[in-house]
Structure formats: structure tokens, C-alpha cells
Amino acid sequence: MKQSERLGVNQQGHLTIGGCDTVELAAQYGTPLYVMDEDGIRAACRSYRDSIERYYDGRGMVCYASKAFCCKEICRIMDQEQMGLDVVSEGELYTALQAGFPAERICFHGNNKTDHELRYALETGVGLIIVDNEYELVRLNRMAEQMEKTVNIAFRIKPGVDAHTHDFVRTGQIDSKFGVALENGEAMQIIRQALTMKHVVLKGVHCHIGSQIFELEPFELAAQRMIELMAQVKEETGHVIEQLDLGGGFGICYTEEDQALRYDSYMEKVSEVVKDCCHRLGFPQPFVMLEPGRSIVGPSGITLYTAGSIKEIPNIRTYAAVDGGMTDNPRYALYQSVYEAVVANKAAQPKEMTVTLAGKCCESGDLLGEKMLVQKMESGDIVAVLSTGAYNYSMASNYNRICRPAVVMVHDGASRVIVRRESLEDLTRNDL
Ligand code: LLP
């Protein structure tokens, strides 16, 4: 899905999202403001769910990776959409439980879970813990024993697949802090160890090969390697691993140049590979899990800012500063991620100005983008940065003691606040 499919321009020439005028939203709620389109989020959930129905007879579950954007209302929507939920910290788990999300549909990830987090997961009955390493396995088994419980686990496996993405988010290869490696026997060894333990039940294997991936081949290759591992485990130990979690990582369009695949094409291809491999190796077809994060919420979010000072440095560039920046969207500063921007109150006009969109932090690297083509921008204009629904609010900070913006959900021409704007009191709440 392209973000532009969810946006429009009304008779006033203003950008709209979910049937709401973005200039009015900015006036009503203030800027900076995150705006999320509910129908877009729900449509993304359904397209993944339907793909499991269509291509894999419904024998699977889509777990939303809540790190992309976690708040109570999103968890409630995921519950209504019958999704599972991937959490990676006690904070995400707490948020989900507070929202009434059923613990049994939660998967708990993380490469360095604390004792406190493991205990919390056991106490609250989280459905599956994705164990990263031996240190965690031993502690979890001991803790479950003390609590007189057994716990369903999966192992995070590095399938050795290079997904050709940004170095920071490439995780399937051996040099990664996540999981145990396939090729050096580490995976097989930890599986054998788990099978000797009384308080863990080995339900699944998991891999996640990176993020913002546009090719299908790495997913197919990873699925193949994982099925081969599952078949090897059955052959060598007799234990049948029932679940295969293929992680997330499906790319979205940040700009018109990006060519994202239809979300159902992942399941279409991967289910073929899974079925073929299982057939070839005489292994029963597993329950398949997917963990999309970015592609569920990313294209459905925009951020609205008010333009402030505009500085033209002759023959160099024009800095257009907005009232937010790396505090609400650190992705350009971190990864040089490219975004598109629109002057929301001039959305019908042609784009004819090139700007460096700067934030308001005391830091030169506080940019939202360079060489961005926009409508003729003046101070006071409302600027929309598109496709900011994922890894923006969730990675926001209070650098320079800047308050995090509010998040507004739009649907059918109506809007509601789902996360309040931080206040100055919030900033000093924990100061003594
Ligand atoms: N499952 C696991 C185990 C993950 O580690 C991740 C993302 C996902 C699922 C969801 O991946 P997605 O479908 O969203 O690509 N902060 C970076 C992205 C980091 C992704 C980390 N893991 C960014 O802003 O691009």
C-alpha cells in the first residue's frame, strides 16, 4: 500500500487523511501532531490475515510487532482484528495487558530479557517466549520450575540470510546480536538442551531477517532453511516443532520510487516454499506466524508540523525549520531514511521548491530530510511528512526537553486523540 492511497486533497486544496482536513486537525490539536488512519491500519491487518486464509488454509497467525507503534488503542485495534502481538519489553507487554489484549496471543521477544521481564511474562501467561540464548533458556526453565509452571518457547534462529537492507537492521546473518546460529550447530545444540528440560515446551522456531525488505527471495530462503532445521530436529531427536515464525520486515513505500510488494505476496510465496519443503522432507506442515510491524502502521501515519523560520543560503540550500524534528522522527538522523513531504494547506499546488527540512533541536544533524521537493513553503504553513506511522512515535525522545506530540486517530471524517500530547509537567514528573 502506498501512503498516497489513503490521502486526498479537498476543495480548499488541503491535504486530507481518513476524510479529515489536515489543516483543521493541526488547528484543533496543535502541531507537531501524529495522525493515523484507522481504516488503513485495519486494512493492512486484514490483508495479512486473508493471505494466510487464502494460501495456507488459515493455519497461521499474524502477530503485529508492536515496537513499530505501541499504545493502548493500537493494542485494542489489533485485538479486534484478531491479530497476535509481538512485544519486546515489559513496557510493551504492560501496555498490551493494560489494553486488555489476551496474554495467550502475545509473543515475547528480546535478546536480553531481564529476570524481572521473564517473571512478568510467566506470571501473566504470555503465550510464547522467543528464547534468544542459552543464558535465557537456563534462567527461564529454573524460574518456571520455581513457579511450578511450564512455558511454551520458540528459539530465535539466525538462518544466515542477508536481506540486503540497511546494516543496522540486518539480523539474519551470523554476526548479529540476536539468536543462535544455524550453520555452526549452535541452534541444534540449544534445541537438544531444551528438550531435556522439564519446564519449557519447545513449540517453535523463529527468524527475522531484517526490515524494510522489498525482495521475496530472502524470505523464501529463510523459510527453507528453517523447515530443514525442523526436519533435522525431528530426525535426530524425534521431536516435532509445530510452529514456524518467519518474523517481519516487509518493506513499505516511503517515496513514490519505492516499489513495495502486495502484502499477500509474502504468504503466497512463502507458503509454497513451506509446503514444498515439508513434502520433500516428509515433515508435517507447521503453523506459520508472521510478525509485520512497519507495514501494518507505517503507511497509515503522517506527521503534521508548522513551518517556522525559512533560511535561504544562496547557492547552498534552503533550510525550512519545523516545530518538531529528530525528537518525533529520528529516522533521518539515524538511517538517512527518505521521506516525502507536502505543504498541507497548498496540497493542490505543484511542488516547486527544494528544501532541507530541519527540526528545532540544538543539533545540526536534526533534519527530517534533504533535497525534499515541496510546494512553495512559507512560515506558518502546515507541513505533512508522510509514512511516519511506524518507528516514529515509538522512537521519539525528549531531547532538549521537547514534549512528545499527541497521536490522533482518524476514521470516516472523525478524529480522536489516542495518545495525549506530553505536558511540561510530564517532563518534570520524575525529577526530584
Ligand atoms: N519481529 C522481530 C523479531 C523484529 O525484530 C522486528 C523488527 C519485527 C518483527 C518487525 O519488523 P518490521 O515488519 O517492522 O520491519 N527502528 C528501525 C526498524 C527496526 C526493526 C527492528 N525489528 C527503523 O526505524 O527502520
PDB file of all heavy atoms in Angstrom, residues 71-87:
ATOM      1  N   CYS A  71       0.710   1.588  21.681  1.00  0.00           N
ATOM      2  CA  CYS A  71      -0.081   2.341  22.657  1.00  0.00           C
ATOM      3  C   CYS A  71      -1.344   1.515  22.881  1.00  0.00           C
ATOM      4  O   CYS A  71      -1.591   0.542  22.156  1.00  0.00           O
ATOM      5  CB  CYS A  71      -0.410   3.756  22.172  1.00  0.00           C
ATOM      6  SG  CYS A  71      -1.586   3.786  20.809  1.00  0.00           S
ATOM      7  N   LYS A  72      -2.135   1.874  23.867  1.00  0.00           N
ATOM      8  CA  LYS A  72      -3.269   1.025  24.219  1.00  0.00           C
ATOM      9  C   LYS A  72      -4.274   0.887  23.083  1.00  0.00           C
ATOM     10  O   LYS A  72      -4.776  -0.196  22.809  1.00  0.00           O
ATOM     11  CB  LYS A  72      -3.947   1.564  25.493  1.00  0.00           C
ATOM     12  CG  LYS A  72      -3.157   1.156  26.729  1.00  0.00           C
ATOM     13  CD  LYS A  72      -3.431   1.934  27.986  1.00  0.00           C
ATOM     14  CE  LYS A  72      -4.816   1.979  28.464  1.00  0.00           C
ATOM     15  NZ  LYS A  72      -4.919   2.598  29.816  1.00  0.00           N
ATOM     16  N   GLU A  73      -4.567   1.987  22.401  1.00  0.00           N
ATOM     17  CA  GLU A  73      -5.584   1.910  21.348  1.00  0.00           C
ATOM     18  C   GLU A  73      -5.144   1.006  20.191  1.00  0.00           C
ATOM     19  O   GLU A  73      -5.956   0.273  19.636  1.00  0.00           O
ATOM     20  CB  GLU A  73      -5.922   3.324  20.835  1.00  0.00           C
ATOM     21  CG  GLU A  73      -7.014   3.367  19.779  1.00  0.00           C
ATOM     22  CD  GLU A  73      -8.404   2.923  20.262  1.00  0.00           C
ATOM     23  OE1 GLU A  73      -8.550   2.489  21.417  1.00  0.00           O
ATOM     24  OE2 GLU A  73      -9.353   3.006  19.448  1.00  0.00           O
ATOM     25  N   ILE A  74      -3.863   1.041  19.868  1.00  0.00           N
ATOM     26  CA  ILE A  74      -3.379   0.148  18.800  1.00  0.00           C
ATOM     27  C   ILE A  74      -3.534  -1.304  19.248  1.00  0.00           C
ATOM     28  O   ILE A  74      -3.939  -2.169  18.473  1.00  0.00           O
ATOM     29  CB  ILE A  74      -1.898   0.461  18.453  1.00  0.00           C
ATOM     30  CG1 ILE A  74      -1.825   1.732  17.599  1.00  0.00           C
ATOM     31  CG2 ILE A  74      -1.224  -0.685  17.713  1.00  0.00           C
ATOM     32  CD1 ILE A  74      -2.399   1.591  16.185  1.00  0.00           C
ATOM     33  N   CYS A  75      -3.222  -1.582  20.506  1.00  0.00           N
ATOM     34  CA  CYS A  75      -3.385  -2.954  21.002  1.00  0.00           C
ATOM     35  C   CYS A  75      -4.856  -3.371  20.936  1.00  0.00           C
ATOM     36  O   CYS A  75      -5.163  -4.511  20.577  1.00  0.00           O
ATOM     37  CB  CYS A  75      -2.855  -3.079  22.436  1.00  0.00           C
ATOM     38  SG  CYS A  75      -1.079  -2.825  22.538  1.00  0.00           S
ATOM     39  N   ARG A  76      -5.760  -2.452  21.261  1.00  0.00           N
ATOM     40  CA  ARG A  76      -7.196  -2.785  21.182  1.00  0.00           C
ATOM     41  C   ARG A  76      -7.598  -3.077  19.737  1.00  0.00           C
ATOM     42  O   ARG A  76      -8.337  -4.029  19.469  1.00  0.00           O
ATOM     43  CB  ARG A  76      -8.044  -1.634  21.745  1.00  0.00           C
ATOM     44  CG  ARG A  76      -7.978  -1.531  23.273  1.00  0.00           C
ATOM     45  CD  ARG A  76      -8.998  -0.555  23.826  1.00  0.00           C
ATOM     46  NE  ARG A  76      -8.575   0.813  23.655  1.00  0.00           N
ATOM     47  CZ  ARG A  76      -8.025   1.571  24.619  1.00  0.00           C
ATOM     48  NH1 ARG A  76      -7.859   1.085  25.832  1.00  0.00           N
ATOM     49  NH2 ARG A  76      -7.658   2.809  24.375  1.00  0.00           N
ATOM     50  N   ILE A  77      -7.088  -2.269  18.807  1.00  0.00           N
ATOM     51  CA  ILE A  77      -7.422  -2.499  17.393  1.00  0.00           C
ATOM     52  C   ILE A  77      -6.865  -3.857  16.947  1.00  0.00           C
ATOM     53  O   ILE A  77      -7.536  -4.623  16.261  1.00  0.00           O
ATOM     54  CB  ILE A  77      -6.880  -1.340  16.517  1.00  0.00           C
ATOM     55  CG1 ILE A  77      -7.706  -0.078  16.795  1.00  0.00           C
ATOM     56  CG2 ILE A  77      -6.910  -1.691  15.033  1.00  0.00           C
ATOM     57  CD1 ILE A  77      -7.190   1.185  16.109  1.00  0.00           C
ATOM     58  N   MET A  78      -5.650  -4.171  17.367  1.00  0.00           N
ATOM     59  CA  MET A  78      -5.057  -5.462  16.990  1.00  0.00           C
ATOM     60  C   MET A  78      -5.881  -6.618  17.552  1.00  0.00           C
ATOM     61  O   MET A  78      -6.065  -7.633  16.894  1.00  0.00           O
ATOM     62  CB  MET A  78      -3.602  -5.556  17.482  1.00  0.00           C
ATOM     63  CG  MET A  78      -2.668  -4.594  16.791  1.00  0.00           C
ATOM     64  SD  MET A  78      -2.703  -4.805  14.997  1.00  0.00           S
ATOM     65  CE  MET A  78      -2.668  -3.110  14.462  1.00  0.00           C
ATOM     66  N   ASP A  79      -6.389  -6.436  18.754  1.00  0.00           N
ATOM     67  CA  ASP A  79      -7.245  -7.475  19.343  1.00  0.00           C
ATOM     68  C   ASP A  79      -8.515  -7.631  18.513  1.00  0.00           C
ATOM     69  O   ASP A  79      -8.896  -8.741  18.135  1.00  0.00           O
ATOM     70  CB  ASP A  79      -7.567  -7.089  20.799  1.00  0.00           C
ATOM     71  CG  ASP A  79      -8.317  -8.193  21.517  1.00  0.00           C
ATOM     72  OD1 ASP A  79      -8.230  -9.356  21.069  1.00  0.00           O
ATOM     73  OD2 ASP A  79      -8.983  -7.885  22.521  1.00  0.00           O
ATOM     74  N   GLN A  80      -9.142  -6.498  18.185  1.00  0.00           N
ATOM     75  CA  GLN A  80     -10.375  -6.556  17.373  1.00  0.00           C
ATOM     76  C   GLN A  80     -10.107  -7.210  16.022  1.00  0.00           C
ATOM     77  O   GLN A  80     -10.971  -7.879  15.465  1.00  0.00           O
ATOM     78  CB  GLN A  80     -10.928  -5.144  17.144  1.00  0.00           C
ATOM     79  CG  GLN A  80     -11.559  -4.531  18.383  1.00  0.00           C
ATOM     80  CD  GLN A  80     -11.609  -2.999  18.299  1.00  0.00           C
ATOM     81  OE1 GLN A  80     -11.398  -2.406  17.239  1.00  0.00           O
ATOM     82  NE2 GLN A  80     -11.902  -2.368  19.422  1.00  0.00           N
ATOM     83  N   GLU A  81      -8.919  -7.006  15.490  1.00  0.00           N
ATOM     84  CA  GLU A  81      -8.580  -7.595  14.188  1.00  0.00           C
ATOM     85  C   GLU A  81      -8.053  -9.028  14.327  1.00  0.00           C
ATOM     86  O   GLU A  81      -7.518  -9.585  13.365  1.00  0.00           O
ATOM     87  CB  GLU A  81      -7.543  -6.719  13.460  1.00  0.00           C
ATOM     88  CG  GLU A  81      -8.076  -5.355  13.032  1.00  0.00           C
ATOM     89  CD  GLU A  81      -9.234  -5.437  12.035  1.00  0.00           C
ATOM     90  OE1 GLU A  81      -9.296  -6.407  11.264  1.00  0.00           O
ATOM     91  OE2 GLU A  81     -10.082  -4.523  12.050  1.00  0.00           O
ATOM     92  N   GLN A  82      -8.177  -9.587  15.499  1.00  0.00           N
ATOM     93  CA  GLN A  82      -7.763 -10.984  15.778  1.00  0.00           C
ATOM     94  C   GLN A  82      -6.305 -11.240  15.451  1.00  0.00           C
ATOM     95  O   GLN A  82      -5.925 -12.320  14.991  1.00  0.00           O
ATOM     96  CB  GLN A  82      -8.633 -11.961  14.989  1.00  0.00           C
ATOM     97  CG  GLN A  82     -10.098 -11.908  15.374  1.00  0.00           C
ATOM     98  CD  GLN A  82     -10.990 -12.170  14.184  1.00  0.00           C
ATOM     99  OE1 GLN A  82     -10.718 -13.076  13.408  1.00  0.00           O
ATOM    100  NE2 GLN A  82     -12.016 -11.361  14.004  1.00  0.00           N
ATOM    101  N   MET A  83      -5.486 -10.232  15.683  1.00  0.00           N
ATOM    102  CA  MET A  83      -4.056 -10.393  15.475  1.00  0.00           C
ATOM    103  C   MET A  83      -3.415 -10.936  16.752  1.00  0.00           C
ATOM    104  O   MET A  83      -3.968 -10.811  17.847  1.00  0.00           O
ATOM    105  CB  MET A  83      -3.424  -9.031  15.179  1.00  0.00           C
ATOM    106  CG  MET A  83      -4.003  -8.311  13.992  1.00  0.00           C
ATOM    107  SD  MET A  83      -3.334  -8.861  12.424  1.00  0.00           S
ATOM    108  CE  MET A  83      -1.783  -7.947  12.391  1.00  0.00           C
ATOM    109  N   GLY A  84      -2.218 -11.518  16.593  1.00  0.00           N
ATOM    110  CA  GLY A  84      -1.376 -11.754  17.750  1.00  0.00           C
ATOM    111  C   GLY A  84      -0.533 -10.499  17.960  1.00  0.00           C
ATOM    112  O   GLY A  84      -0.614  -9.547  17.179  1.00  0.00           O
ATOM    113  N   LEU A  85       0.267 -10.502  19.021  1.00  0.00           N
ATOM    114  CA  LEU A  85       1.073  -9.313  19.313  1.00  0.00           C
ATOM    115  C   LEU A  85       2.485  -9.727  19.696  1.00  0.00           C
ATOM    116  O   LEU A  85       2.672 -10.635  20.511  1.00  0.00           O
ATOM    117  CB  LEU A  85       0.428  -8.559  20.475  1.00  0.00           C
ATOM    118  CG  LEU A  85       0.786  -7.086  20.600  1.00  0.00           C
ATOM    119  CD1 LEU A  85       0.121  -6.278  19.493  1.00  0.00           C
ATOM    120  CD2 LEU A  85       0.330  -6.547  21.948  1.00  0.00           C
ATOM    121  N   ASP A  86       3.452  -9.069  19.073  1.00  0.00           N
ATOM    122  CA  ASP A  86       4.861  -9.295  19.425  1.00  0.00           C
ATOM    123  C   ASP A  86       5.279  -8.146  20.336  1.00  0.00           C
ATOM    124  O   ASP A  86       5.139  -6.985  19.969  1.00  0.00           O
ATOM    125  CB  ASP A  86       5.631  -9.370  18.096  1.00  0.00           C
ATOM    126  CG  ASP A  86       7.071  -8.873  18.121  1.00  0.00           C
ATOM    127  OD1 ASP A  86       7.569  -8.448  19.171  1.00  0.00           O
ATOM    128  OD2 ASP A  86       7.696  -8.906  17.052  1.00  0.00           O
ATOM    129  N   VAL A  87       5.749  -8.506  21.529  1.00  0.00           N
ATOM    130  CA  VAL A  87       6.274  -7.479  22.442  1.00  0.00           C
ATOM    131  C   VAL A  87       7.737  -7.797  22.717  1.00  0.00           C
ATOM    132  O   VAL A  87       8.175  -8.931  22.596  1.00  0.00           O
ATOM    133  CB  VAL A  87       5.488  -7.405  23.774  1.00  0.00           C
ATOM    134  CG1 VAL A  87       4.030  -7.076  23.531  1.00  0.00           C
ATOM    135  CG2 VAL A  87       5.642  -8.683  24.589  1.00  0.00           C
TER     136      VAL A  87
END
